[in-house]
Amino acid sequence: MSALLSTHDLIAGYGDMRALHGVEISVSAGETVALIGANGAGKSTLLKAIMGVLPVAQGMIRLDGKAVGGQSPHLMVKAGVAIVPEGRRLFVGMSVEENLRIAIEHAAEPMGEPWTLERVFALFPILREKARTLVENLSGGQQQMVSIGRSLLVQPRVLLCDEISLGLAPKVVREIYAALPEISAGGVALVLVEQDVGLAQRASQRLYCMLEGRITLQGASSDITREQISAAYFGATHVLD
Ligand SMILES: Nc1ncnc2c1ncn2[C@@H]1O[C@H](COP(=O)(O)OP(=O)(O)OP(=O)(O)O)[C@@H](O)[C@H]1O
Ligand SMILES: [Mg+2]
């Protein structure tokens, strides 16, 4: 599989503080990769660098063969990269439907079957029932569904998800993760940052582990062992074929 999105010796940080030290990851159309690692490993920073929120050099990010590093988040969205951010970031004081519609105004050109309000409601039926409810009156899981739905309505080719299961009850997490295959079936490349290692492994074809701004493990999710993961989490470099 050729990569749709890839990073190349990606270096990024905050002011003088370097948080990523030459990160290389890739994801193909229709593929799901998981990104795990301890708190502060640099997972969110990597997603922010890909989105253009942090400054990076042009060649450090390639999308469909083109060097796109250093573009503004707005242009990255237009190019087909969307993020479900840490903490959901919904617009309070606005209904579910209003939150979803905002994304439509900022959408990229759809590549396959376009995401519509109807299609998002079919994916998460509870959102249809709650369409006129203010987002602050939803449960955490429902809010996460709105955040995912909003990202889909920008018609992404690559969807970056930052800890979408965080703080949610197991039942809701299962519901949300059950929707992911439907998203990737349409050709969307998924990058899942996930604290739950077992869930990350089950939901992905390939897995990366990060530690202190570096990739310390990568391989097929079904082949990686718990021993390799714990070594990569806490210190030993291990790369599988
Ligand atoms: N806005 C910021 N300003 C300065 N340093 C930051 C900022 N955000 C993150 N960092 C630092 O960058 C490093 C990587 O943080 P990052 O948030 O990417 O980790 P993470 O893997 O997403 O962790 P978590 O699992 O806690 O979300 C950490 O040392 C963190 O303290
Ligand atoms: Mg994070």
Side-chain angles (χ1 to χ4, degrees), residues 11-94:
I11 288 163
Y14 305 90
D16 290 341
M17 208 278 288
R18 191 175 275 192
L20 302 178
H21 307 274
V23 172
E24 314 242 333
I25 70 161
S26 68
V27 63
S28 302
E31 186 187 30
T32 300
V33 302
L35 179 60
I36 62 168
N39 291 332
K43 306 178 299 294
S44 297
T45 302
L46 176 55
L47 300 193
K48 285 189 264 180
I50 293 171
M51 265 330 284
V53 175
L54 297 173
V56 300
Q58 193 178 17
M60 290 179 182
I61 300 165
R62 296 189 77 83
L63 178 66
D64 208 7
K66 270 194 268 176
V68 294
Q71 292 192 4
S72 68
H74 173 73
L75 283 178
M76 289 305 285
V77 169
K78 285 283 175 203
V81 184
I83 189 165
V84 182
E86 212 171 5
R88 302 165 200 142
R89 310 258 179 90
L90 298 178
F91 299 103
V92 296
M94 289 170 66

Side-chain angles (χ1 to χ4, degrees), residues 87-92 99 135 138 143-144 146-147 150:
R88 302 165 200 142
R89 310 258 179 90
L90 298 178
F91 299 103
V92 296
N99 266 272
V135 287
L138 299 179
Q143 289 180 353
Q144 192 58 272
V146 176
S147 184
R150 188 178 58 180

Side-chain angles (χ1 to χ4, degrees), residues 119-162:
R119 215 177 144 200
V120 168
F121 289 157
L123 192 66
F124 298 122
I126 186 71
L127 297 188
R128 190 196 304 276
E129 286 171 41
K130 303 272 180 183
R132 294 183 194 287
T133 304
L134 296 180
V135 287
E136 56 267 43
N137 296 330
L138 299 179
S139 69
Q142 292 162 356
Q143 289 180 353
Q144 192 58 272
M145 291 172 192
V146 176
S147 184
I148 295 168
R150 188 178 58 180
S151 301
L152 290 172
L153 285 165
V154 306
Q155 316 296 343
R157 306 173 69 191
V158 180
L159 184 60
L160 312 172
C161 298
D162 201 350

